[in-house]
Amino acid sequence: MLTLDARHPFAAKSLIDAQDMHRTVMSGFTGWVDNGSSDARSQMGILSIWTVDLRQARLNLVVQSSVPADWSNLPRGVLCEAPESLTVDRTFRTGDRVDFRTVVNPVRSVPPPPGSPTTRGIRVAHTRPEHVRTWFSQRLQPTGEPAVAPNGVTRIGVDTNTERLALRMLPRVSSPAPHKGLRIARAEIKGTLTVTDPKTFVTALTRGIGHARAYSCGLILVR
């Protein structure tokens, strides 16, 4: 976990530019893969999530990875305190209950308009909490159900009463040129989960959930 001074230009820029936040996260993993690798983040299992405390002017950044990070190259003065690291070695069993928090990019795919040169669906963001609740419920896995739903959605090995989830829409994050048009909808989901498929759940914890995982979405924090 990193605690950064939100007033420092380096951290402030990361808060207003999603691509800069991505670079901040990736800066701790130089040298593990070839420069320019298109799937560097996924190769190193990097996921992240952040919050900002405006009153204390602190940016709290949690980074998960399958390889060790080195934050020694961060600009002088940006860290409020030394980075904390924790090796996660936890076993889950069917029936275990865990508290969780995640920030997701809740989108759905809609058909392209008539006459469009592409046949691929267009991603449209959910903007209402009730729609995010439905989006998340589609990824739950009731006992005895397979890891992939009939509609092709990958499930996450847990179940819960979705009416008891706490949902909050977060400000969108964006990036100027050369990533003009990048706008990522975000929603925070918190609650308690019951493990139904431990192997699938560990996969979800390792790989994340949903889209925009390069932009601090999809990491599931549990305790």
Side-chain angles (χ1 to χ4, degrees), residues 5 7 31 40 51 78 83 89 116 144 154 160 170 174 194 220:
D5 181 355
R7 295 165 297 193
T51 58
V78 70
D89 183 15
S116 174
T154 300
T160 191
L170 300 177
S174 60
T194 299
I220 305 172

Side-chain angles (χ1 to χ4, degrees), residues 47-206:
L47 296 167
S48 62
I49 188 172
W50 58 266
T51 58
V52 61
D53 184 335
L54 296 176
R55 182 174 287 109
Q56 298 296 325
R58 291 194 169 195
L59 168 60
N60 302 306
L61 176 61
V62 177
V63 181
Q64 174 181 292
S65 64
S66 59
V67 296
D70 177 7
W71 304 108
S72 61
N73 290 322
L74 289 175
R76 179 177 297 181
V78 70
L79 286 173
C80 296
E81 52 194 58
E84 298 180 26
S85 61
L86 174 68
T87 299
V88 179
D89 183 15
R90 182 173 176 180
T91 300
F92 295 97
R93 294 172 295 186
T94 300
D96 284 351
R97 289 170 59 83
V98 296
D99 294 330
F100 84 104
R101 173 179 176 263
T102 187
V103 171
V104 298
N105 170 228
V107 297
R108 68 188 190 280
S109 180
V110 299
S116 174
T118 179
T119 58
R120 296 181 61 184
I122 300 172
R123 291 177 188 171
V124 178
H126 292 298
T127 58
R128 298 171 64 90
E130 58 266 33
H131 295 156
V132 175
R133 194 182 306 274
T134 300
W135 179 93
F136 188 71
S137 68
Q138 292 172 347
R139 285 149 180 82
L140 296 174
Q141 186 175 347
T143 300
E145 292 291 323
V148 178
N151 62 358
V153 171
T154 300
R155 289 167 165 162
I156 58 175
V158 292
D159 200 8
T160 191
N161 181 348
T162 57
E163 294 303 315
R164 295 185 178 181
L165 296 175
L167 288 90
R168 179 167 64 113
M169 303 308 298
L170 300 177
R172 292 192 181 210
V173 295
S174 60
S175 182
H179 300 278
K180 189 175 182 180
L182 175 65
R183 288 177 56 81
I184 300 168
R186 302 182 304 141
E188 179 189 66
I189 309 174
K190 297 192 292 185
T192 301
L193 303 171
T194 299
V195 178
T196 57
D197 183 339
K199 183 178 179 180
T200 300
F201 184 45
V202 170
T203 298
L205 294 177
T206 303

Side-chain angles (χ1 to χ4, degrees), residues 6 8-21 23-24:
H8 191 286
F10 180 84
K13 192 175 181 182
S14 295
L15 280 173
I16 63 175
D17 188 330
Q19 192 64 30
D20 266 303
M21 181 66 79
R23 283 192 287 265
T24 294

